Amino acid sequence: MPDYPCKLPGFTFREPDDTGDERLLDDIRAHGWHVVGVPDDDEGPGFCFTVGIYLRTLQPEILMMGVPIEPTHRILNAIAEYLMAGGTITPEMRYPDFVDGREVLFRPVHQTQFHEYLGCANWFYRPSDTSFPALQCIWPDLHGRFPHEEGFDSRFAGRQIDLSLPRT
């Protein structure tokens, strides 16, 4: 089994509450991270996020919204592998290597959004006295424009909630 060192002093793994927790903890121990998927529902677009990246790399957990779970899972795994290999993510910088040649960028998730969008990560890090950071991976439309840019395809406008803004 690979060695994925814990970079948070004093961190201890929690006891699982159910089989979902067991899988999350097993994945983090075996692979260094776990990806949680939440499908679309009446409340809004689906999203996926990592748990364990911060523990292993001190780099933020990553959340991606509005793309079907399977491709999002693959993208988050590619980002996690990059971070586990020593890479870093800088907010607002464009990265072309994670999504088949299309650029993505990252924005910090505001702390007021953590409860709604990062539940399993909140549960996982609760034994630690240190709060964890998270970034939202923002994807462009088919013409390479991001939601905050003029001309972004309005068909995709509701697929990515800007989690860098405080929850109201």
Side-chain angles (χ1 to χ4, degrees):
M1 180 177 288
D3 180 30
Y4 298 110
C6 173
K7 298 217 173 168
L8 291 176
F11 181 88
T12 57
F13 279 81
R14 295 186 66 159
E15 289 299 316
D17 294 330
D18 55 34
T19 57
D21 294 346
E22 287 175 10
R23 180 163 182 219
L24 179 141
L25 295 170
D26 289 347
D27 282 353
I28 294 170
R29 286 183 176 112
H31 307 290
W33 73 91
H34 176 81
V35 175
V36 175
V38 177
D40 286 359
D41 61 20
D42 293 340
E43 304 266 323
F47 57 96
C48 295
F49 60 93
T50 62
V51 180
I53 296 296
Y54 183 65
L55 175 72
R56 303 306 191 190
T57 67
L58 298 181
Q59 288 292 303
E61 299 295 346
I62 307 294
L63 179 145
M64 188 172 192
M65 178 180 291
V67 177
I69 287 177
E70 190 281 322
T72 302
H73 195 276
R74 189 174 61 247
I75 293 164
L76 290 178
N77 279 337
I79 295 167
E81 288 170 6
Y82 168 79
L83 294 171
M84 295 291 283
T88 60
I89 300 284
T90 302
E92 300 299 333
M93 190 169 142
R94 294 175 184 230
Y95 292 82
D97 300 326
F98 302 126
V99 185
D100 303 326
R102 295 177 72 193
E103 291 183 328
V104 295
L105 59 84
F106 297 85
R107 288 196 164 151
V109 175
H110 194 275
Q111 284 289 323
T112 59
Q113 303 283 7
F114 277 47
H115 177 74
E116 182 73 21
Y117 291 99
L118 296 163
C120 292
N122 293 326
W123 174 87
F124 178 74
Y125 287 107
R126 195 170 342 164
S128 172
D129 291 334
T130 306
S131 62
F132 66 96
L135 294 173
Q136 181 178 5
C137 179
I138 309 290
W139 48 271
D141 65 15
L142 299 174
H143 300 288
R145 290 182 291 251
F146 289 92
H148 62 280
E149 295 176 332
E150 187 175 328
F152 180 76
D153 190 329
S154 62
R155 293 177 299 165
F156 302 115
R159 300 300 300 157
Q160 295 185 85
I161 298 166
D162 186 349
L163 300 180
S164 68
L165 301 174
R167 187 166 181 81
T168 56

